């Protein structure tokens, strides 16, 4: 059952997201170079755009990591009651 507090109690594995982004960036750059050398301009542009998106995502991930931990309620804090639907 949903408690309605998921947005405030959600946690993200930022370091895992960072390393997956590194992996994706390496492959996107490799794809850009490989397709450019093979003369496939469309695919090279697509991989280049993907590399740009991954780099921006990495920027935000690093920013969130450097912000440090934010308040997260402990196990002793009960979840919020769901809104009363009428």
């Amino acid at each position: 059952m949903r408690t309605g507090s998921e947005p405030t109690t959600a946690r993200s594995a930022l370091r895992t997201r960072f390393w997956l982004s590194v992996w994706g960036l390496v492959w996107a750059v490799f794809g850009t170079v490989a397709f450019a050398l093979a003369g496939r301009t469309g695919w090279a542009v697509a991989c280049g755009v993907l590399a740009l998106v991954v780099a921006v995502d990495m920027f935000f991930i690093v920013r969130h990591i450097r912000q440090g931990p934010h308040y997260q309620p402990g196990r002793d804090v009960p979840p919020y009651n769901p809104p009363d639907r009428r």
Side-chain angles (χ1 to χ4, degrees):
M1 177 177 141
R2 292 181 57 109
T3 62
S5 67
E6 287 83 2
T8 59
T9 59
R11 297 177 189 228
S12 176
L14 290 174
R15 294 200 192 320
T16 303
R17 281 183 56 197
F18 174 76
W19 288 111
L20 287 172
S21 293
V22 168
W23 180 254
L25 185 63
V26 167
W27 277 104
V29 169
F30 173 76
T32 302
V33 171
F35 284 124
L37 291 176
R40 300 285 191 160
T41 309
W43 284 104
V45 169
C47 286
V49 169
L50 181 62
L52 180 65
V53 169
V54 172
V56 169
D57 185 46
M58 283 179 63
F59 168 77
F60 283 108
I61 291 169
V62 169
R63 182 172 163 248
H64 284 268
I65 289 173
R66 289 187 181 194
Q67 283 178 346
H70 297 277
Y71 170 74
Q72 293 289 329
R75 295 187 186 278
D76 57 335
V77 177
Y80 298 108
N81 291 329
D84 191 22
R85 306 239 184 225
R86 292 181 186 204

